[in-house]
Amino acid sequence: MEETYLLNVEGVKKKILSGGRGELPKLQDGSKFTFHFQTLKDDFERTVIDDSREAGMPMEIIVGKMFKLEIWETLLSSMRIGEVAEFWCDTIHTGMYALVSRGMRRIAEGRDPLEGQKHRCGMGNMFDYHSTGYDDLDELQRTPQPLIFIMELFRVGGMAGMAARAGAVGMGHSAPPALQVEDPSAYKRDTWAMSKEEKLAAVPVLHSEGNRLVLRREFAQAAAKYQEAVICLRNLQAKEKPWEDGWLKLEGLVTPLVLNYCQCQLELGEYYEVLEHTTELLQKHNDNAKAYFKRAKAHAAVWNEREAREDFQRVAHLDPSMAAAVKKELKQLGERMRKKHVEDRKRYQGLFQSSQGQ
């Protein structure tokens, strides 16, 4: 079994179970993926949540239409025709799965996927306590968790005239129902002009846009997307009581966006901004290893050796799986500091000799 990690996609691991054929498909907006999938919990039993084969219908999604579970487009884009792959996805990518699955199940049952939520955006539904109608999906809504997706890609083709309609999730054979998408134009309004539900709906779209810009190494533009998403959530948090359920749910969405923003700033060399935002984050979440790691890299970049070493050591203590990365960073830090000391010593000697000669 070949194992591959998707580069520049945080919180995703890929295993190729069966190789595909040809090159990676060339995609454009309107291309359509047709595939079977199985969704499993990341538990000892690998409990099956959904299986498109049991439903008797393959899944279809359309590139560029902002399918609510946007990570699926990224996963499928890494596959060749005929490939079978297993993807582990962290909670940052799976928060919307319960709502997506609810719609797919209703279509498979011949029911209206929008029943009970025709006037609510998907993110709005995630933040209330209404039942999805399925006990296992209610559990996922209450306690988001990493999920495993096993996918088999059959073909990638054009739209063939099929129109995508906002709000429904599509599964089907030759003429499947329309897909669950969000209208991109709905998120071009200024943040201050958005309602609560518009802000909630904008966040995953902005997050997705930021991720795509990072893949193109357009870090300044990506940072702006992440920052806009954080502003939406902070505005909503201001109306909640700190540390109560509503506030905590929003904070859970803010944290990965801030970390993504800080990673962009590291790439752009804005180290003091990284120090400011990671420190603020750690004042509320002092067990966040990723925040310590990014702050340590920023300290190292501005020659704060003691602070960098302290933060790297906290990372290794909080998350032993990062010990190898910490060891590498500490080695590089030591080499950089030794080189700096040598250069400083030569510079001071030169200044001293110049003053003696005058």
Side-chain angles (χ1 to χ4, degrees):
M1 180 183 299
E2 180 183 354
E3 184 164 349
T4 305
Y5 291 92
L6 291 179
L7 299 178
N8 297 318
V9 182
E10 183 179 4
V12 176
K13 296 178 183 179
K14 175 183 178 181
K15 293 180 181 178
I16 298 175
L17 306 182
S18 177
R21 59 185 181 274
E23 301 296 324
L24 290 174
K26 294 182 180 179
L27 303 175
Q28 57 185 4
D29 285 358
S31 297
K32 182 170 65 177
F33 291 110
T34 302
F35 61 100
H36 268 305
F37 76 95
Q38 190 178 56
T39 305
L40 309 101
K41 288 186 178 180
D42 184 22
D43 56 14
F44 181 77
E45 296 83 7
R46 288 168 64 95
T47 305
V48 176
I49 300 173
D50 289 309
D51 188 334
S52 62
R53 285 184 174 81
E54 288 189 4
M57 296 179 287
M59 180 71 182
E60 295 183 349
I61 64 174
I62 299 168
V63 174
K65 293 299 181 181
M66 297 185 185
F67 176 62
K68 282 190 176 177
L69 201 64
E70 60 91 13
I71 191 61
W72 274 15
E73 184 176 316
T74 302
L75 305 183
L76 290 161
S77 297
S78 77
M79 299 177 68
R80 293 171 170 80
I81 303 298
E83 180 179 322
V84 181
E86 175 180 309
F87 299 91
W88 178 90
C89 294
D90 205 353
T91 310
I92 184 177
H93 301 296
T94 62
M96 295 294 293
Y97 185 77
L99 296 177
V100 172
S101 176
R102 174 185 185 270
M104 293 189 295
R105 291 183 187 187
R106 285 178 174 271
I107 288 174
E109 294 166 2
R111 300 164 63 191
D112 181 358
L114 302 181
E115 181 182 334
Q117 63 174 51
K118 289 186 178 180
H119 303 292
R120 298 290 307 280
C121 68
M123 289 297 291
N125 278 292
M126 190 174 80
F127 279 89
D128 63 29
Y129 297 95
H130 295 301
S131 172
T132 63
Y134 304 92
D135 291 342
D136 58 339
L137 300 183
D138 287 346
E139 178 190 350
L140 287 180
Q141 269 203 141
R142 287 192 298 268
T143 56
Q145 56 194 268
L147 295 174
I148 296 168
F149 303 112
I150 299 177
M151 295 178 162
E152 180 179 3
L153 181 60
F154 296 130
R155 58 182 174 271
V156 179
M159 283 278 287
M162 188 174 77
R165 171 174 66 89
V169 180
M171 293 181 65
H173 291 291
S174 57
L179 303 180
Q180 180 161 345
V181 300
E182 302 290 353
D183 179 3
S185 64
Y187 305 107
K188 301 306 180 186
R189 299 172 60 192
D190 290 335
T191 299
W192 63 266
M194 292 181 179
S195 67
K196 173 182 177 180
E197 292 197 349
E198 286 173 333
K199 288 175 182 174
L200 287 170
V203 168
V205 177
L206 292 166
H207 196 158
S208 173
E209 290 175 352
N211 291 348
R212 287 178 179 146
L213 288 164
V214 167
L215 290 173
R216 297 204 295 265
R217 301 190 65 78
E218 297 177 14
F219 297 112
Q221 295 90 331
K225 297 295 183 182
Y226 296 136
Q227 183 179 35
E228 187 176 352
V230 170
I231 290 170
C232 286
L233 293 170
R234 291 300 191 203
N235 287 344
L236 294 171
Q237 265 191 319
K239 299 177 176 62
E240 301 284 345
K241 291 185 179 179
W243 303 105
E244 293 194 355
D245 285 347
W247 189 93
L248 288 170
K249 285 179 182 290
L250 292 165
E251 185 68 14
L253 295 175
V254 166
T255 299
L257 288 163
V258 172
L259 291 173
N260 286 359
Y261 175 83
C262 288
Q263 184 59 43
C264 290
Q265 297 305 318
L266 281 174
E267 298 284 353
L268 294 167
E270 300 291 343
Y271 304 119
Y272 289 102
E273 185 155 356
V274 175
L275 292 175
E276 176 186 348
H277 290 290
T278 51
T279 298
E280 181 183 352
L281 186 63
L282 288 165
Q283 288 171 350
K284 291 182 286 188
H285 310 286
N286 62 5
D287 60 348
N288 192 305
K290 291 179 180 177
Y292 278 117
F293 190 79
K294 295 184 192 304
R295 191 172 74 171
K297 287 178 72 71
H299 274 309
V302 296
W303 308 106
N304 296 339
E305 182 180 12
R306 178 180 60 81
E307 293 87 345
R309 290 187 180 279
E310 289 176 355
D311 278 353
F312 279 132
Q313 288 164 1
R314 288 192 185 99
V315 173
H317 174 73
L318 288 168
D319 188 352
S321 71
M322 297 181 71
V326 166
K327 183 178 179 181
K328 179 180 177 181
E329 292 289 342
L330 287 172
K331 181 180 178 181
Q332 291 176 349
L333 175 61
E335 292 171 351
R336 290 180 67 241
M337 295 306 301
R338 282 191 293 273
K339 184 177 179 181
K340 182 176 185 296
H341 292 327
V342 170
E343 292 174 350
D344 287 347
R345 188 161 55 247
K346 289 180 178 178
R347 186 179 302 112
Y348 295 143
Q349 287 174 347
L351 289 172
F352 178 74
Q353 289 170 354
S354 297
S355 63
Q356 289 279 29
Q358 293 177 354

